[in-house]
Amino acid sequence: MPAAVYVGDGKIVVEEVPRPEPASGEVLVEIAECGICGSDLHMVLERYARPGAILGHEWSGIVASAPRGSGWSPGDRVVDNPPPGCGVCRPCRRGRPAVCLNRAPANFLGHHGAFCRYKTVSADSLIRIPDSLPTRVAALTEPTAITLHALQVSGVGPDDRVLVTGAGPVGLLIVAVLRAQGISDITVSEPSPIRRQRALDVGATRAVTPDTLQEPAMTMRVAEPYTVVFECSGHASAIEAAFGQLDYAGTLVIVGTGFDPPRINQNRVIIFELEIVGAYNYNDDGFQPAVDLLDSGTLPLESLIEPNDIPLSEVMDTMERLSRGEIPGKVMVRPGLSS
Ligand SMILES: [Zn+2]
Ligand SMILES: [Zn+2]
């Protein structure tokens, strides 16, 4: 089967690889669509992936074969719903399965992902896509689940003044889900003009360039402080700027991954009683709430997902364009498209 394989040196090449054989209890799924995630960009363009890795984890698919008695049959439309946690360790008991102590460490290097035609998945980790939800839209399930988790850890509510720094696919989804949850005071800071426009399209109240964010004096608030900031760019300078915009008792949620550490003024954390939290994964109710939200008709899907799906052969070029900020929304890879 064809697969977009990381070959090292920051490059992806389409190669023929063996079709995976399902082990006992596994289903063979034909990948319908797979979104390109920011973490895929880091793995490839910053060369963290291991040569031979197949990336792509935001997928929806169609069951190609399933063991008898698994509850699945060929043609069923599915998304993967990895169990959120063990349910018994301390973080799990405290409702934080994203940091379950018993989960295998994230294998960012040896991935066998979904930028390929077929994938094997444990039969009990799949969930069915509702009839009313297009398969293509269902590929947004994983990032939507992560967005719901980021909102949950932030404690954001309708009376918050929210700033989102970085309006790539993740920032846009956060804006859209905030709106769907009744939060309306949302400013987006983003250097790319097409991404600023898209942020407005998906529900931001205003979109500004990062240079308009004021640098605060040591113990002073900026003129227009925010109670909750979602940092979605992963850039150290954006994290530092985001931090400076926080109001008293404000919360900075770090969502964007990056490798350059920011400098944070600890005195400000103390005097303002700030919280800085990370959002890694999903809530303990798994992917179903994300499927339900996507199926609810309340999200501006046509602005969140780029209109033209791409074949495997365009993954490399599209990743470079995404990293340059030339594409605002989520790009769907359709492995079945011929190049
Ligand atoms: Zn992702
Ligand atoms: Zn656990």
Side-chain angles (χ1 to χ4, degrees):
M1 66 168 185
V5 181
Y6 181 71
V7 294
D9 209 19
K11 292 276 175 269
I12 277 182
V13 171
V14 179
E15 292 180 352
E16 282 291 319
V17 302
R19 187 162 108 173
E21 286 294 331
S24 164
E26 284 188 335
V27 167
L28 183 70
V29 175
E30 179 171 11
I31 303 300
E33 307 270 351
C34 183
I36 298 178
C37 176
S39 65
D40 296 324
L41 301 186
H42 286 295
M43 289 300 131
V44 173
L45 303 177
E46 291 164 32
R47 307 173 185 207
Y48 285 86
R50 183 177 299 157
I54 298 169
L55 301 175
H57 54 271
E58 302 179 355
W59 58 270
S60 59
I62 293 161
V63 172
S65 71
R68 204 167 308 154
S70 67
W72 299 106
S73 357
D76 286 345
R77 300 182 311 126
V78 291
V79 290
D80 193 11
N81 179 37
C86 72
V88 296
C89 73
R90 188 167 64 175
C92 279
R93 281 186 277 115
R94 292 182 176 179
R96 302 287 295 272
V99 283
C100 172
L101 300 178
N102 293 317
R103 192 161 48 192
N107 180 6
F108 290 123
L109 306 176
H111 265 309
H112 183 88
F115 292 147
C116 58
R117 277 302 279 280
Y118 294 94
K119 183 172 168 54
T120 51
V121 192
S122 171
D124 50 18
S125 88
L126 294 172
I127 52 176
R128 199 174 296 277
I129 300 173
D131 289 345
S132 47
L133 182 63
T135 312
R136 178 171 187 268
V137 175
L140 216 52
T141 299
E142 194 260 9
T144 303
I146 285 178
T147 301
L148 288 169
H149 181 57
L151 266 57
Q152 188 197 52
V153 301
S154 76
V156 68
D159 61 347
D160 277 307
R161 253 192 116 231
V162 179
L163 173 68
V164 177
T165 51
V170 174
L172 293 174
L173 201 46
I174 285 187
V175 171
V177 176
L178 284 166
R179 279 311 282 251
Q181 295 197 350
I183 293 123
S184 56
D185 188 345
I186 309 166
T187 299
V188 166
S189 165
E190 162 64 49
S192 156
I194 54 165
R195 286 183 164 177
R196 283 199 302 278
Q197 181 54 51
R198 191 66 69 89
L200 296 171
D201 296 343
V202 301
T205 325
R206 57 185 190 134
V208 301
T209 53
D211 61 316
T212 60
L213 298 178
Q214 196 190 340
E215 190 159 338
M218 170 71 96
T219 57
M220 305 291 286
R221 295 193 299 170
V222 292
E224 295 183 66
Y226 295 89
T227 52
V228 181
V229 180
F230 294 93
E231 204 304 297
C232 304
S233 78
H235 294 297
S237 59
I239 301 170
E240 289 163 6
F243 174 77
Q245 309 310 304
L246 289 171
D247 205 345
Y248 295 128
T251 303
L252 171 61
V253 187
I254 299 190
V255 181
T257 52
F259 295 98
D260 209 6
R263 292 169 67 95
I264 296 294
N265 183 327
Q266 68 272 41
N267 300 317
R268 231 178 141 75
V269 177
I270 295 167
I271 295 165
F272 281 56
E273 296 203 350
L274 302 175
E275 282 189 67
I276 303 174
V277 293
Y280 175 48
N281 224 309
Y282 358 105
N283 295 333
D284 53 1
D285 44 8
F287 280 14
Q288 193 62 50
V291 169
D292 295 344
L293 178 58
L294 290 168
D295 195 27
S296 69
T298 55
L299 296 181
L301 297 167
E302 62 299 331
S303 296
L304 293 171
I305 304 175
E306 290 298 312
N308 299 318
D309 294 0
I310 62 164
L312 292 171
S313 58
E314 287 176 28
V315 170
M316 184 72 238
D317 181 54
T318 305
M319 283 185 167
E320 284 168 345
R321 293 181 57 211
L322 278 164
S323 76
R324 292 195 297 265
E326 293 174 17
I327 304 173
K330 178 66 74 181
V331 175
M332 293 296 175
V333 179
R334 197 186 302 169
L337 269 184
S338 53
S339 43

